[in-house]
Amino acid sequence: MTIKPKYKTKQREMLVSYLSSVTGQHITAGDVLEYFKEQGVSIGQATIYRQLESLVDEGVINKYIIDANSPACFEYVGEETHGGAAVCFHCKCSNCGKLLHLHCEELMEIQNHLSKEHGFVLDPKRTVFYGICEDCGKNGNESDRS
């Protein structure tokens, strides 16, 4: 169930326009603030946080809390949930902090197995795999690899 927006303000319209232009990317409130500063648009940090939370409540964006050391990130999904995909997982590089967004049939099989065989239902919005990204692996930055 989605909630209808209370007010259609200019700031909200600008924020939705920006978010829809970065569909499929994870962005933080800080990224949004930096974008508007670069555009010469004066919009307060509190307004950005308030509008992001309102858009989460409305179902226009998804919010991901990866871990206690990282800021929450947001992803524009429009009126549909996660681009129509039922499952989306995340991988976080332990070296550079890069966050990868995955729609993967094999991971869906793991989710189904855990549910069917172990009675455990994963929450894809909160499931994060940690490791080393391809770029860090290529550059020899594998300090966290066991």
Side-chain angles (χ1 to χ4, degrees), residues 103-122:
H103 294 282
C104 181
E105 290 295 322
E106 285 79 7
L107 290 175
M108 293 170 78
E109 289 177 24
I110 292 170
Q111 182 185 38
N112 291 336
H113 170 80
L114 288 171
S115 176
K116 185 187 239 182
E117 300 297 324
H118 305 284
F120 187 82
V121 179
L122 285 178

Side-chain angles (χ1 to χ4, degrees), residues 29-81:
D31 296 332
V32 174
L33 187 61
E34 185 63 30
Y35 168 79
F36 284 116
K37 279 185 183 177
E38 289 173 359
Q39 301 302 310
V41 176
S42 178
I43 184 170
Q45 184 175 4
T47 300
I48 289 172
Y49 280 102
R50 189 171 47 253
Q51 289 292 336
L52 287 171
E53 290 301 329
S54 179
L55 292 169
V56 170
D57 291 343
E58 295 167 27
V60 175
I61 61 176
N62 284 338
K63 178 179 182 177
Y64 303 100
I65 299 172
I66 304 305
D67 58 40
N69 300 318
S70 303
C73 60
F74 301 88
E75 178 189 20
Y76 179 80
V77 293
E79 297 302 315
E80 299 187 20
T81 304

Side-chain angles (χ1 to χ4, degrees), residues 75-99:
E75 178 189 20
Y76 179 80
V77 293
E79 297 302 315
E80 299 187 20
T81 304
H82 238 44
V87 177
C88 173
F89 294 93
H90 299 86
C91 294
K92 184 171 182 181
C93 180
S94 298
N95 280 336
C96 69
K98 183 187 299 181
L99 185 66

